[in-house]
Structure formats: C-alpha cells, structure tokens
Amino acid sequence: MNSPEESPQNIRQEIHADDSGVAFAQGTGVQNNNVTQNYYGSEGLPATPENLYRQGKIKLNAGDEEGELFILAAAEAGHVEAVKEMRKMASIRWAYLSEERDRWNLKLIELGVPDGYSDLAACKKLRMSHADTTNERMGLLGEAVSYYKKAIDGGLEGATEDLGMLLHSEGMHEEAIPYLERAIVYIKDEGDFVWDDVEAALRSARKALKSQQRKVGLESPKESGARRWWHRNS
C-alpha cells in the first residue's frame, strides 16, 4: 500500500520528471521507483508515444523487462528516441549483422532522421568482411557509399569522415579526397581534435592518386619532363 506522500493524488506535488522520464523525489535528486510508477501508471495517462517511451525507460531502469514492450510500442508509433533505443537493443543482441538493426534504421529514415542512413551504411560496411563473393562485397560497398552520401545530404556532416575513410581504404582515392578534406574542416569547426588517422589518410590518398595518375599518363608534359630531368641529375 502506498504511503500518503506517494499516493497518486499527491504525485504532482512530490516529484518532477527529467528528460528521460525518470521521476525523483522533489529536491532530493534520488530516484523513487514507487513514485515514478504511480506517476506514470496510476493516473491513467494517455498512451501517447512519449508516455509509452517514458514508461518503458522507467521499467527498464528498474530491471523490469516488460519495459521493452512499451518502448517497442512507442517506436512503432514513430517516437524517434524509442526507435534509437530499439536499434541499440538490436545491436547489443546481434551487432551490425542484424536485420533487426536495419529495420530500425529504415524506420529512422522514414522519420527523416539522417542518422538512420549513416548507421545503415556502417552496417553494410561491416558486412563486407563477411561477404561470400566479390560481387556481394562490391554490392555492399555500393550500398554503404550511397547511404553515407544520403546521410551527408541530410545534414549529417560527421559522415564525411566515415565515407572518406571507406573510399580511401577501397582504393578510390580521388573520390575520397574531397570527403576527407571536408571532414577535417568540419572537425576543426566543431572544436574537436583531428585524429592523426584522418590527416594521414588524406596524405596517403593524395600520394596514391598522384601515383595512379602517373601510371595512366595523366600528368602534364611539363610536369612529367621536370620529373625526368630531376631523376637524371639526382
């Protein structure tokens, strides 16, 4: 039986909820599961996606596996954070090889969230190492590149690094360079540290592209002649 201070009619005076839907005793900062459950269950709150998501989070935080059903219902109804939560659960269980993870990424795309494209691209990239044939691998590569580009077009500038690194690793240096350059600018604009591997990839891609161009005779005669003169006198 609930104590008077935890009765449903006193809930609104006794607690507040943070952004994740976790209720706390007023002023204490300590989670009170009884109050939380009363607040979200006893007053018959409407089954909106937001309320379902919040109830699901509360139950999961309390160790109640039934919370997943609430989050699933919210996700199916189009609650973005609930969809991301379901995707995370799929990742924990089956990692990036899971078709269940694909499902939730496609749901995010349907909801207009570019992160769905980026994560779906990462899934395709990981599956490349598990491909049985060259054709299958190349098909996955094409999908990964396409999804990364859609993520970037959707405003997810951070995907430029992922795409640039992927293209470079696959020997597509000319295509990789603009994305790697753009990634470095973005990282610096965000005030973050540019890791050596990104700048090293850009240097490597530029060097590899020049080597490819020499091999197919794309250097200008003037530049080519200058190089031959240098080698003759070195």
Side-chain angles (χ1 to χ4, degrees):
M1 183 173 180
N2 295 327
S3 61
E5 65 272 15
E6 292 181 0
S7 63
Q9 57 267 33
N10 292 328
I11 293 303
R12 297 187 187 279
Q13 288 73 39
E14 295 297 326
I15 60 97
H16 71 276
D18 68 6
D19 289 339
S20 66
V22 178
F24 296 83
Q26 186 74 34
T28 67
V30 177
Q31 183 176 349
N32 186 313
N33 285 330
N34 289 333
V35 172
T36 297
Q37 293 295 344
N38 284 333
Y39 180 66
Y40 285 100
S42 298
E43 294 197 329
L45 293 179
T48 64
E50 177 67 17
N51 286 338
L52 289 168
Y53 171 67
R54 285 173 175 258
Q55 288 188 66
K57 290 290 289 184
I58 290 165
K59 287 178 178 290
L60 288 179
N61 289 339
D64 185 351
E65 295 181 357
E66 185 185 33
E68 183 175 341
L69 298 177
F70 285 79
I71 293 177
L72 172 61
E76 294 286 10
H79 190 285
V80 171
E81 292 306 316
V83 174
K84 289 182 178 181
E85 191 76 19
M86 292 304 301
R87 181 179 67 179
K88 183 170 72 174
M89 292 178 191
S91 177
I92 292 172
R93 290 168 181 162
W94 301 290
Y96 284 88
L97 301 180
S98 166
E99 291 183 1
E100 184 70 9
R101 189 180 181 102
D102 286 357
R103 174 194 174 195
W104 295 117
N105 277 321
L106 291 171
K107 184 70 174 180
L108 287 173
I109 291 170
E110 177 187 320
L111 295 170
V113 182
D115 172 69
Y117 283 121
S118 179
D119 196 76
L120 194 53
C123 292
K124 301 294 182 181
K125 181 176 71 173
L126 186 63
R127 289 172 191 163
M128 288 168 59
S129 61
H130 296 268
D132 294 325
T133 66
T134 300
N135 285 341
E136 181 185 356
R137 186 180 185 282
M138 295 308 295
L140 290 167
L141 172 60
E143 289 183 274
V145 170
S146 176
Y147 285 132
Y148 275 135
K149 288 181 177 178
K150 288 179 179 179
I152 295 167
D153 290 342
L156 197 63
E157 195 67 17
T160 53
E161 177 183 342
D162 297 315
L163 178 54
M165 296 293 279
L166 174 60
L167 291 168
H168 175 52
S169 69
E170 293 298 314
M172 303 165 70
H173 309 298
E174 186 171 7
E175 295 91 336
I177 289 171
Y179 290 106
L180 291 171
E181 291 174 336
R182 188 168 161 181
I184 290 173
V185 171
Y186 168 73
I187 294 169
K188 289 180 177 178
D189 285 348
E190 290 293 299
D192 293 333
F193 178 76
V194 180
W195 295 101
D196 291 342
D197 57 344
V198 184
E199 293 184 324
L202 179 56
R203 292 193 298 270
S204 175
R206 286 171 174 167
K207 182 178 180 180
L209 178 59
K210 287 182 179 180
S211 177
Q212 288 177 345
Q213 290 174 336
R214 284 197 298 271
K215 289 180 181 179
V216 297
L218 293 182
E219 282 188 334
S220 66
K222 182 178 179 180
E223 182 181 356
S224 180
R227 287 181 179 276
R228 285 197 297 272
W229 176 87
W230 171 260
H231 286 300
R232 284 198 302 271
N233 292 276
S234 60

